[in-house]
Amino acid sequence: MRLATWNVNSIRARVDRVTDWLSRADVDVLAMQETKCNDEQFPTMPFAALGYEVVHCGFSQWNGVAIASRVGIDDVTVGFDGQPTWSDKPDIEAAAEARALGATCGGVRVWSLYIPNGRFVDSPHYRYKLEWLAALRKTSNAWLTDDPRAQIALVGDWNIAPTDDDVWSVEAYRDSTHVTPPERAAFDAIVDTGFADVVRPFTPGPGVFTYWDYTRLAFQKRRGMRIDFVLGSPAFAERVTHAEIVREERKGKGASDHAPVLVELTG
C-alpha cells in the first residue's frame, strides 16, 4: 500500500498536477490539505476517472481537507472529538474549521490534518493552534488507549518545524511561529503518545524540506522548512518499508508550495 499526503494549495488550480502524479506514483491513498473550496466545488471527476473515491471537508475558500482512495473509504469522520472552534470576529460565533477529516482506507485509519498556522506569536490564532494540538493529542492518545494495535496515520501539514534542522535558517525564523518551544512541545507530545515520524528515518536532515515559499527564489536556493509529516501508530509504523519527500513535484509551472510526502507499507 502506498499512502501520501500533500498540501495542494488549491485543488481546483492543481487538479491536473495532482492526478497526473497519482498516476505516475501509483498511490493508493492521498490525503490533501488546503483544498480551498467547499464540498460542491471539489473536482471529483478527474479522481473518479482514475478509480479513486474522494471524501472532502471544505466550508469556504479557506483551509479544506480531503482523502482520495482506490482501496476503499469507510467510517468517514469530519473533525475529531474535542476539536477547537475559531472565530476572529467578536460578533460571529466560533465554529469548527475544515482542518481534520478521518477515513478508514485499506484497513488504515487515515487522518488528513491541516493544523492552524498560528499567524504570529502570542496572537489569538497562535493560542488557538496550541489548543488545537492539545486536543488532537488528547483524542489520538485515547484512540491508542482503546486499541493499542490500531493502524492510524496522522498525516498532513502540521505547520511546525520540530527541530532546528527542519528550517533552512534558525535565525530567519527566530521570532516566527512554527519553531517556538510551545509549538515544538505540542508536536513532541503527540509523538510521545506513541505516534512515530515514519518518514524521517528514510529522509534524514538537515536541509530536507517539504515546503518552500514562492518568493525570493526560496525553492531554488533551498530555503525551506520540513512541516509536512506522517505520524504513525505503532502498528502502522512497523509496516513502513520506505518513505520519501517527492521534491520534484515542487518544480515547474503551477506547482504547490509543498511537496508530497509518500510512504510504502508492507502487506
Side-chain angles (χ1 to χ4, degrees):
M1 181 173 169
R2 291 165 66 83
L3 182 152
T5 181
W6 195 356
N7 179 321
V8 296
N9 191 14
S10 180
I11 187 58
R12 289 179 291 172
R14 291 178 233 289
V15 62
D16 290 343
R17 284 195 63 130
V18 172
T19 53
D20 175 67
W21 180 72
L22 281 177
S23 297
R24 289 184 285 108
D26 194 29
V27 173
D28 295 302
V29 181
L30 174 65
M32 291 166 272
Q33 302 84 42
E34 220 175 347
T35 57
K36 294 184 177 179
C37 64
N38 62 39
D39 292 346
E40 291 73 25
Q41 295 170 323
F42 191 95
T44 58
M45 292 306 296
F47 291 89
L50 295 175
Y52 291 88
E53 299 177 77
V54 178
V55 290
H56 177 257
C57 173
F59 306 134
S60 66
Q61 74 272 29
W62 308 112
N63 310 322
V65 282
I67 299 172
S69 172
R70 63 183 187 185
V71 293
I73 292 183
D74 300 302
D75 303 321
V76 176
T77 304
V78 174
F80 56 86
D81 290 344
Q83 180 178 328
T85 57
W86 167 256
S87 175
D88 59 358
K89 298 179 180 178
D91 57 333
I92 296 179
E93 184 178 357
E97 295 185 298
R99 293 186 177 275
L101 181 66
T104 301
C105 307
V108 175
R109 187 67 175 165
V110 179
W111 279 92
S112 181
L113 303 171
Y114 181 44
I115 280 72
N117 178 282
R119 300 184 184 174
F120 57 92
V121 177
D122 291 333
S123 72
H125 208 262
Y126 177 82
R127 294 190 289 273
Y128 163 63
K129 178 179 188 175
L130 296 178
E131 292 170 2
W132 207 97
L133 288 160
L136 178 62
R137 182 208 58 78
K138 181 178 179 180
T139 299
S140 60
N141 182 58
W143 294 334
L144 284 185
T145 300
D146 291 343
D147 183 1
R149 295 300 300 166
Q151 297 188 52
I152 306 171
L154 308 178
V155 311
D157 178 356
W158 291 75
N159 274 315
I160 299 171
T163 75
D164 286 353
D165 283 349
D166 297 327
V167 294
W168 71 272
S169 167
V170 174
E171 186 60 35
Y173 292 100
R174 186 169 300 282
D175 298 320
S176 302
T177 61
H178 294 51
V179 300
T180 65
E183 290 169 286
R184 288 179 167 179
F187 183 94
D188 290 343
I190 295 173
V191 172
D192 290 344
T193 67
F195 288 89
D197 178 354
V198 300
V199 177
R200 194 179 296 269
F202 297 91
T203 59
V208 179
F209 305 132
T210 64
Y211 163 84
W212 303 259
D213 191 83
Y214 286 129
T215 63
R216 300 180 181 178
L217 298 175
F219 180 71
Q220 292 83 350
K221 294 179 179 179
R222 298 182 179 273
R223 295 179 175 178
M225 307 177 76
R226 188 198 289 244
I227 58 175
D228 302 85
F229 296 93
V230 177
L231 300 189
S233 65
F236 177 91
E238 69 186 20
R239 292 182 60 197
V240 176
T241 58
H242 175 74
E244 61 184 283
I245 297 165
V246 192
R247 190 176 183 276
E248 291 295 309
E249 293 305 312
R250 177 59 176 80
K251 296 180 179 179
K253 183 178 180 180
S256 171
D257 45 3
H258 294 249
V261 179
L262 174 69
V263 299
E264 289 189 25
L265 307 177
T266 186

